[in-house]
Amino acid sequence: MILVTGGTGLVGAHLLFKLVSEGQAVRATYRREKTLKRVAHVFSYFSHDAETLFKTIEWVEADINDIPKLQNAFRGITYVYHCAAFVSFEPDKYYELRKVNIKGTANIVNLCISHSVKKLCYVSSIAAVGHHENREKLIDEQTAWNPEDDNSVYAITKYGAELEVWRGTQEGIDAVVVNPGIILGAGYWSGGSSGNLFRQIHNGMRYYVKGIVGYVDVFDVVNAMIQLMTSDIKNERFILISENLSFKDFQYKVANALNVTPPKKEAKPWLLQIAWRLDWLKHKLFRTRRRLSKQSAKSAISISKYDNSKLKDALGFAFKPIDQSINEVCQLYLKDLKEKH
């Protein structure tokens, strides 16, 4: 049997749909029962028999830091997809990020070892991959992580989680790690998911930024994970991106697909410097949540270009064009919006 942690997240929901569509026996963890409806809704996008498929999943309520409940979830498990994570770039969430992303992953790794799981797939992030001084040089799986960089709290904890997975490989567990770029998928239109970007662009954004980063379709992530798990490949990491694209180009492509006006003004570096400081001051004075950290402002204008050739060479993998992915997600966003109203 297959275990999927974080089954109610963007990657987890799409992974579950793919696995059960292929007739796999699947158990999945969740923390809050109300989030199960979102998974069922994702299933409805892609199948006329969504309810039947959804009911084949064996759901287990389990926090990844609740060892007794996790023990129950691991009974009879042979393969594990570890998708559970806490996504936040708010500096004051650092210790919560560590607890979920690092300690929680350590728990999963330990249980994989004690239950003699055959293989583990961990969903990391390109945030946990290093960077080059030369902005035009492609970043690959061997690019060294520099702990002295001004890394975001999220990046630090995802890198720390990867170290737990590599520890597990030294203790006998076979594993693969995937490092997706910004994942484009439907059904998650708020929170830390990229779906929030689609919603914001539809509602109207005044500013664009010129930073460059890698993007990937959620089903490319899911298909790559499954193919890596069913292959002989082990103890390797793979960058998952379809294309490197500027934030401005992404914003314009989404705006065009949604038939709304794209942002007209560039958020210059000096403006972002002022904005994150004002955000920090507002947080200190009124205890509001951070919306723009120093590291987020920096990444908005950073040029980070990623190399996806390792996965292509290993599996002969073909990524979905980002224009196609954007159009598909936008159509589902508009469909959800129409049904809501």
Side-chain angles (χ1 to χ4, degrees):
M1 179 173 265
I2 295 168
L3 175 66
V4 177
T5 71
T8 59
L10 176 65
V11 173
H14 287 79
L15 174 63
L16 286 172
F17 174 77
K18 186 72 175 179
L19 290 171
V20 297
S21 296
E22 294 176 352
Q24 300 287 348
V26 181
R27 184 179 296 150
T29 66
Y30 71 96
R31 289 191 304 122
R32 294 185 299 273
E33 190 170 354
K34 65 179 182 180
T35 59
L36 297 178
K37 293 180 181 179
R38 197 157 48 180
V39 182
H41 185 60
V42 167
F43 277 37
S44 73
Y45 291 147
F46 311 112
S47 173
H48 295 299
D49 201 19
E51 187 176 350
T52 302
L53 285 174
F54 182 79
K55 286 180 177 178
T56 65
I57 301 166
E58 182 185 327
W59 288 100
V60 177
E61 182 187 359
D63 187 287
I64 57 172
N65 281 301
D66 188 333
I67 303 299
K69 287 186 177 180
L70 282 179
Q71 289 281 9
N72 290 331
F74 266 82
R75 283 184 289 106
I77 293 299
T78 49
Y79 295 93
V80 174
Y81 291 89
H82 179 32
C83 307
F86 178 39
V87 181
S88 175
F89 297 90
E90 301 174 60
D92 60 311
K93 297 289 193 294
Y94 176 63
Y95 291 104
E96 188 177 351
L97 282 159
R98 284 191 63 90
K99 181 180 179 181
V100 176
N101 295 344
I102 300 179
K103 184 182 176 184
T105 299
N107 293 336
I108 297 299
V109 169
N110 292 340
L111 286 163
C112 283
I113 295 168
S114 64
H115 286 78
S116 301
V117 166
K118 291 181 179 179
K119 201 170 185 179
L120 164 69
C121 177
Y122 173 58
V123 183
S124 184
S125 166
I126 54 170
V129 182
H131 290 83
H132 297 301
E133 291 295 327
N134 179 0
R135 299 191 303 180
E136 294 305 312
K137 187 176 181 182
L138 290 179
I139 297 165
D140 62 19
E141 290 81 0
Q142 300 303 315
T143 304
W145 167 272
N146 183 1
E148 301 303 319
D149 280 348
D150 190 16
N151 299 298
S152 71
V153 286
Y154 175 68
I156 291 168
T157 59
K158 292 299 278 186
Y159 178 76
E162 283 192 26
L163 293 181
E164 292 295 337
V165 176
W166 301 133
R167 170 186 64 80
T169 64
Q170 297 299 307
E171 297 180 32
I173 186 75
D174 289 344
V176 287
V177 171
V178 293
N179 298 85
I182 295 178
I183 302 171
L184 306 183
Y188 293 75
W189 310 120
S190 60
S193 165
S194 66
N196 191 35
L197 292 173
F198 288 85
R199 183 177 60 84
Q200 288 181 9
I201 293 168
H202 183 260
N203 290 341
M205 294 182 76
R206 293 175 58 194
Y207 293 96
Y208 63 82
V209 289
K210 288 186 173 181
I212 294 177
V213 74
Y215 293 82
V216 64
D217 187 86
V218 67
F219 275 117
D220 280 343
V221 176
V222 165
N223 290 331
M225 290 165 65
I226 293 172
Q227 288 181 40
L228 287 168
M229 284 287 272
T230 55
S231 73
D232 293 330
I233 296 168
K234 62 180 181 179
N235 307 343
E236 298 275 356
R237 73 197 301 223
F238 293 86
I239 288 173
L240 306 185
I241 66 111
S242 172
E243 298 172 37
N244 295 297
L245 195 67
S246 73
F247 292 116
K248 179 184 178 182
D249 285 345
F250 173 76
Q251 289 170 289
Y252 271 64
K253 287 176 184 292
V254 172
N256 288 334
L258 293 174
N259 198 27
V260 296
T261 303
K264 299 293 187 183
K265 297 180 180 179
E266 180 186 356
K268 301 281 189 182
W270 63 266
L271 185 60
L272 290 168
Q273 290 290 320
I274 293 172
W276 77 255
R277 286 174 168 85
L278 288 175
D279 184 75
W280 173 85
L281 184 61
K282 185 180 178 183
H283 167 72
K284 289 296 182 183
L285 292 175
F286 304 109
R287 309 309 302 171
T288 56
R289 290 189 61 175
R290 295 294 302 274
R291 298 182 62 189
L292 183 68
S293 68
K294 178 184 177 183
Q295 293 77 19
S296 297
K298 176 186 171 185
S299 67
I301 55 174
S302 295
I303 309 296
S304 300
K305 297 181 179 180
Y306 295 87
D307 184 355
N308 63 8
S309 61
K310 182 177 179 181
L311 184 77
K312 286 182 173 181
D313 293 343
L315 298 176
F317 198 88
F319 286 94
K320 181 185 294 185
I322 286 301
D323 281 356
Q324 181 183 343
S325 181
I326 287 173
N327 288 330
E328 290 173 357
V329 174
C330 285
Q331 290 306 308
L332 291 172
Y333 174 80
L334 293 173
K335 180 175 180 287
D336 278 354
L337 197 65
K338 184 178 179 181
E339 290 176 356
K340 184 178 179 181
H341 297 291

